[in-house]
């Protein structure tokens, strides 16, 4: 059975909920899921997974959350060739750099040699009905890249 590892950073709970939606969608596709908060894991833990997913929020004017900065820096040094990755996250459209952390993590994953599995999903604050549909489609798209 394929293994998806979802690492998330969540301040208000919105991003954890986004991670939960993706996890449930992957489990419904018969993919085993491990979901962990970013301060509890190292980027090298992605080596054990077939699918590597980051769920992050963007802080203020486009900054990475403090608790995920170390993970972000480590990720760029990890060899993930043969793995599939995806990034989802939350932000606030009030800010000019909406969900900038999602873009930052996509750039970091590109340095790892992993294959992009799905178009990133950016959620304005909390996931609503349309967002849930998009997150479930993200999970299906990323799962299809395993075959």
């Amino acid at each position: 059975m394929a293994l998806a590892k979802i690492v998330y950073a969540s301040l208000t709970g919105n991003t954890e909920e986004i991670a939960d939606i993706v996890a449930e969608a992957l489990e419904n596709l018969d993919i085993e899921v491990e979901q962990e908060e970013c301060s509890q894991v190292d980027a090298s833990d992605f080596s054990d997974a077939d699918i590597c997913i980051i769920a992050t929020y963007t802080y203020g004017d486009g900054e990475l959350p403090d608790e995920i900065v170390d993970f972000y820096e480590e990720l760029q040094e990890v060899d993930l060739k043969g793995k599939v990755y995806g990034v989802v996250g939350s932000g606030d459209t009030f800010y000019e750099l909406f969900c900038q952390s999602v873009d930052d993590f996509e750039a970091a994953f590109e340095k790892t040699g992993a294959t992009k599995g799905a178009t990133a999903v950016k959620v304005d604050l909390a996931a609503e009905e349309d967002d849930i549909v998009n997150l479930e489609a993200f999970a299906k798209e990323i799962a299809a890249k395993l075959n």
Side-chain angles (χ1 to χ4, degrees):
M1 180 182 282
L3 172 65
K5 187 167 212 53
I6 301 174
V7 175
Y8 69 91
S10 189
L11 183 66
T12 62
N14 290 342
T15 310
E16 185 175 5
E17 180 186 2
I18 290 166
D20 290 344
I21 293 164
V22 172
E24 183 177 341
L26 289 169
E27 287 169 346
N28 289 339
L29 296 167
D30 293 323
I31 294 173
E32 182 182 349
V33 178
E34 291 178 3
Q35 183 175 329
E36 300 188 69
E37 201 275 330
C38 63
S39 65
Q40 306 300 311
V41 292
D42 295 318
S44 61
D45 292 344
F46 272 151
S47 299
D48 300 332
D50 302 294
I51 298 172
C52 309
I53 297 175
I54 291 288
T56 185
Y57 65 96
T58 298
Y59 189 75
D61 290 319
E63 291 93 36
L64 286 168
D66 288 342
E67 66 270 25
I68 206 166
V69 170
D70 289 345
F71 191 95
Y72 170 79
E73 291 171 354
E74 290 171 16
L75 179 62
Q76 297 176 69
E77 306 297 321
V78 178
D79 181 357
L80 296 176
K81 287 181 186 70
K83 312 290 183 189
V84 177
Y85 78 86
V87 185
V88 295
S90 64
D92 188 336
T93 54
F94 172 81
Y95 294 99
E96 186 176 332
L97 298 175
F98 173 65
C99 283
Q100 179 63 44
S101 294
V102 170
D103 298 336
D104 292 344
F105 266 103
E106 283 209 313
F109 267 123
E110 287 176 15
K111 296 178 182 179
T112 69
T115 301
K116 184 173 180 173
T119 302
V121 177
K122 298 177 178 182
V123 175
D124 185 21
L125 303 174
E128 297 185 11
E129 201 169 315
D130 287 351
D131 300 310
I132 293 168
V133 169
N134 291 337
L135 291 164
E136 289 171 345
F138 167 90
K140 284 181 185 159
E141 188 179 347
I142 211 166
K145 286 288 193 315
L146 289 179
N147 303 331

